[in-house]
Amino acid sequence: MGPRPGGVGVPRAAAMEQPRAAARLQIVLGHLGRPSAGAVVAHPTSGTISSASFHPQQFQYTLDNNVLTLEQRKFYEENGFLVIKNLVPDADIQRFRNEFEKICRKEVKPLGLTVMRDVTISKSEYAPSEKMITKVQDFQEDKELFRYCTLPEILKYVECFTGPNIMAMHTMLINKPPDSGKKTSRHPLHQDLHYFPFRPSDLIVCAWTAMEHIDRNNGCLVVLPGTHKGSLKPHDYPKWEGGVNKMFHGIQDYEDNNTRVHLVMEKGDTVFFHPLLIHGSGQNKTQGFRKAISCHFASADCHYIDVKGTSQENIEKEVVGIAHKFYGAENSVDLKDIWMFRARLVKGERTNL
């Protein structure tokens, strides 16, 4: 599976074996046992976090159930994210790691999987290994990795944000590489809603699980608390001298006056966050590969929107252009079509999505 410009490789041969209508819709979008209520946030190393006073009728971003404590609900409402400690068991994380390594060695080739490389190593001569691959996404056809999206420990908390009818919309296993010196291992500050043609945003949530200890040295997540209360901002590629990875759009009119919080996490810790929360990640300054696995979930009651004429039109054009180039997609394909074929029901009943 060879790389394409910008560091992304696609399973072209495998896709062409599928029916045309399905094959043209397996397209990349980049831009992700031991339940515990634990600490609300995993040891932030910078910034201050508030937890305002709320009355139940004021809750907008969380739903009534018996899972989240009142303090956890208040925290998410005010900050737009919530870290649950020690949520995913070590045994599951090891299975995800094993499957990822099989993918890297090309021992398994799930249909529709998108394989990505850092822009600085896309022409590397490495033998098939984790050193070649910085991310795999759209792993909905890989039964072993997709188990993450169906873990009771995960869905228990997802339901607090989406309600009981839950769709898995976007899947990623991130393998942040050691930075080459060009700072390309960074991910610019962005809002995930930029990539999503469905609403309402308050019924969408990301679950992002650390597969090992993660801190500022190996490029932990950085979040801007409270920014989920704002609007979707225009995104595009940042002007970085060392280059930018494919689909790594960032906020264009960002003003650097918000408090930043760096999330230090241990293996199994999971952060749930709102799609409007501004976040990103720093360089990996170590020699290891920093791994995390994630899924964006949405209520099956969400509906698709037309992004033409909006700030999201640029990402639609880019994705549809990839579809035309690699799958011979017809001109009628749009962002809605692509997401419709990616969505998978994981709990409850399917409605709109």
Side-chain angles (χ1 to χ4, degrees):
M1 184 185 306
R4 61 183 169 86
V8 182
V10 294
R12 186 175 185 181
M16 295 303 291
E17 294 173 4
Q18 303 175 79
R20 179 181 175 83
R24 68 189 179 90
L25 295 172
Q26 297 291 350
I27 302 169
V28 57
L29 272 184
H31 67 304
L32 190 92
R34 290 180 296 171
S36 168
V40 175
V41 61
H43 312 299
T45 57
S46 70
T48 57
I49 303 175
S50 62
S51 183
S53 297
F54 286 90
H55 298 291
Q57 64 267 28
Q58 294 177 304
F59 288 131
Q60 176 180 345
Y61 306 105
T62 59
L63 304 175
D64 292 330
N65 58 37
N66 59 359
V67 176
L68 296 181
T69 67
L70 179 59
E71 287 305 310
Q72 287 173 326
R73 291 190 71 182
K74 289 179 179 179
F75 187 93
Y76 189 90
E77 291 281 335
E78 180 66 14
N79 297 288
F81 70 98
L82 180 70
V83 176
I84 305 298
K85 301 287 290 180
N86 200 30
L87 183 62
V88 178
D90 289 353
D92 285 308
I93 290 177
Q94 187 59 50
R95 289 178 63 173
F96 302 143
R97 182 181 291 270
N98 292 344
E99 183 70 3
F100 174 70
E101 290 174 356
K102 289 180 181 179
I103 291 171
C104 292
R105 295 192 299 264
K106 300 184 179 181
E107 294 175 8
V108 294
K109 299 179 181 180
L111 291 177
L113 186 77
T114 299
V115 175
M116 305 181 72
R117 301 182 186 181
D118 187 89
V119 65
T120 62
I121 62 173
S122 61
K123 296 181 180 180
S124 164
E125 297 299 325
Y126 285 126
S129 73
E130 71 168 13
K131 294 181 179 180
M132 292 180 62
I133 297 175
T134 61
K135 183 188 295 184
V136 294
Q137 56 186 26
D138 307 331
F139 56 67
Q140 63 271 7
E141 298 300 330
D142 185 301
K143 292 182 180 180
E144 188 65 11
L145 290 183
F146 195 71
R147 285 182 58 256
Y148 174 77
C149 307
T150 64
L151 288 176
E153 299 93 335
I154 294 291
L155 294 180
K156 171 184 176 181
Y157 284 95
V158 169
E159 189 168 345
C160 301
F161 310 104
T162 66
N165 298 323
I166 305 172
M167 303 290 293
M169 303 300 295
H170 184 228
T171 53
M172 293 189 297
L173 193 155
I174 305 156
N175 187 45
K176 184 189 281 283
D179 197 86
S180 66
K182 296 185 177 181
K183 301 181 180 181
T184 57
S185 65
R186 294 175 294 173
H187 199 298
L189 290 172
H190 65 284
Q191 298 164 298
D192 289 340
L193 192 66
H194 171 65
Y195 299 94
F196 302 156
F198 42 91
R199 301 292 188 274
S201 60
D202 292 346
L203 295 180
I204 304 170
V205 70
C206 180
W208 193 100
T209 298
M211 295 177 65
E212 58 199 294
H213 174 80
I214 295 177
D215 58 25
R216 295 187 72 170
N217 287 326
N218 59 4
C220 65
L221 286 181
V222 58
V223 299
L224 278 58
T227 51
H228 66 301
K229 299 175 184 178
S231 60
L232 179 60
K233 299 181 179 297
H235 289 60
D236 212 329
Y237 285 108
K239 295 177 175 61
W240 289 350
E241 292 183 5
V244 184
N245 286 307
K246 197 71 173 176
M247 298 290 181
F248 276 33
H249 288 195
I251 293 173
Q252 295 299 289
D253 62 352
Y254 169 71
E255 295 182 3
D256 194 9
N257 58 0
N258 293 91
T259 298
R260 297 189 182 196
V261 173
H262 295 82
L263 300 183
V264 177
M265 300 171 68
E266 300 299 332
K267 181 167 66 172
D269 292 355
T270 302
V271 59
F272 297 89
F273 60 90
H274 191 281
L276 281 172
L277 181 74
I278 298 176
H279 66 287
S281 64
Q283 300 175 58
N284 181 358
K285 300 176 183 178
T286 72
Q287 295 304 306
F289 287 74
R290 188 272 274 164
K291 292 180 176 62
I293 188 169
S294 72
C295 179
H296 280 89
F297 297 91
S299 168
D301 297 320
C302 286
H303 60 274
Y304 289 100
I305 64 168
D306 185 353
V307 302
K308 291 181 175 58
T310 74
S311 65
Q312 293 178 258
E313 190 169 8
N314 61 344
I315 191 66
E316 178 179 49
K317 289 180 179 177
E318 187 169 355
V319 172
V320 171
I322 293 172
H324 292 170
K325 181 176 181 180
F326 289 95
Y327 299 104
E330 299 172 5
N331 291 332
S332 59
V333 68
D334 60 17
L335 207 57
K336 172 182 174 180
D337 297 324
I338 293 163
W339 282 98
M340 286 180 66
F341 277 80
R342 178 180 284 120
R344 297 291 186 276
L345 181 70
V346 291
K347 186 175 181 181
E349 299 178 357
R350 185 162 187 160
T351 54
N352 291 333
L353 279 174

